[in-house]
Amino acid sequence: MRKISTLAIALLLGATTVNAQTVANFDTLTLAGTDTFYVNYSNPGNDVGFDDGLAHFECVYDTAGYSGLRRGFAYSNMTDSVNGTYTNIYSAKTAKGYNGSNQYLLASAFSTIGVKLKGKAAGQPVKGFYITNTTYGYNTMRDGDGFAKKFGGVPNTDPDWFKVTIKGYLAGNAKADSVDFYLADFRDADSTKDYIIKTWEWVDLSPLQGVDSLSFLLSSTDTAGGFGMNNPAFFCMDNFETFETSSVGAAPADYVAKVYPNPATDKLYIEVKDRSVSEVVVRDMSGKVTTSFAATGNRIVVSTADYIPGMYFIQLSGTNGVATTRFVKQ
């Protein structure tokens, strides 16, 4: 039997709660000059992280390894999009932050790293953040080096991938869902669809619902040799966006929309009840946008005939808040 999925929205028309959002864009964090990055050896082996927006970003430096950054985040304004060696780990392949900003975060996540929410954001959903590859990571996957392989192999037939897995926690308990985002993906039988991310892409974390902390871990198919992942264990982050106040996870009896049929075949119908909804975004399980469009009217038809079978997330956004549900394409 097909079922109708009822999408609960956090804030409905006429609700008195204000759903404010805070963006950590890292532009106000102080650096010594241009083409530099955050370094802190004041407490080796322990967290010397920093706060921005309503979040604390873990950072652990020590004297071991080639970078000194054992794990966690460091803010950067490096602009080298060419040097793809270990001497240039702090540069984004974009050479800039999201939307051309000067600063962004470098994340070292060979082991699990964390972000803790603060103040009014703690216990609420995280909207998401923008992500891209480092220059070092991108060039290594594209070309290979003495330690890591060229993604896809020679010829380009290996189903390689590189992803970050984000998990949410509340009061020490892991949430049931996690979010995977593929920074490189060569799994499709059609090699023209292979990609390595080199632009800023949105990662939607709303499926995790209310959290007080997040963990990030990188993994890939390049594990030959038995010592773990061979390609560089870095990514870049910008515009980390939290909700200050929300009732997601404890929605009132009213609902913003009905989504059916679920599973879907050729078409998906969205019956919208909250007239503030202005945008519909459909994402696949990797977080990549499949479809996005302005919401018009109270009955929306989404063509799913060309979707690859699997699970998808629908996000409805409007002045009253953001709501997310999922459906399966058969």
Side-chain angles (χ1 to χ4, degrees), residues 6-36:
T6 305
L7 179 61
I9 196 168
L11 299 169
L12 300 174
L13 197 62
T16 57
T17 308
V18 176
N19 191 4
Q21 300 169 19
T22 298
V23 179
N25 59 23
F26 317 111
D27 289 335
T28 60
L29 299 175
T30 303
L31 288 172
T34 58
D35 280 313
T36 187

Side-chain angles (χ1 to χ4, degrees), residues 193 265-266 290 303-309 312 329:
K193 297 181 179 179
T265 52
D266 295 336
T290 303
S303 176
T304 57
D306 294 332
Y307 284 23
I308 298 171
Y312 292 82
K329 167 60 177 22

Side-chain angles (χ1 to χ4, degrees), residues 6-19 246-248 250-257 272-277 316 318-323:
T6 305
L7 179 61
I9 196 168
L11 299 169
L12 300 174
L13 197 62
T16 57
T17 308
V18 176
N19 191 4
S246 173
S247 58
V248 169
D254 292 329
Y255 295 94
V256 65
V272 179
K273 190 173 182 180
D274 179 359
R275 295 182 180 181
S276 82
V277 172
L316 301 186
T319 57
N320 291 328
V322 177

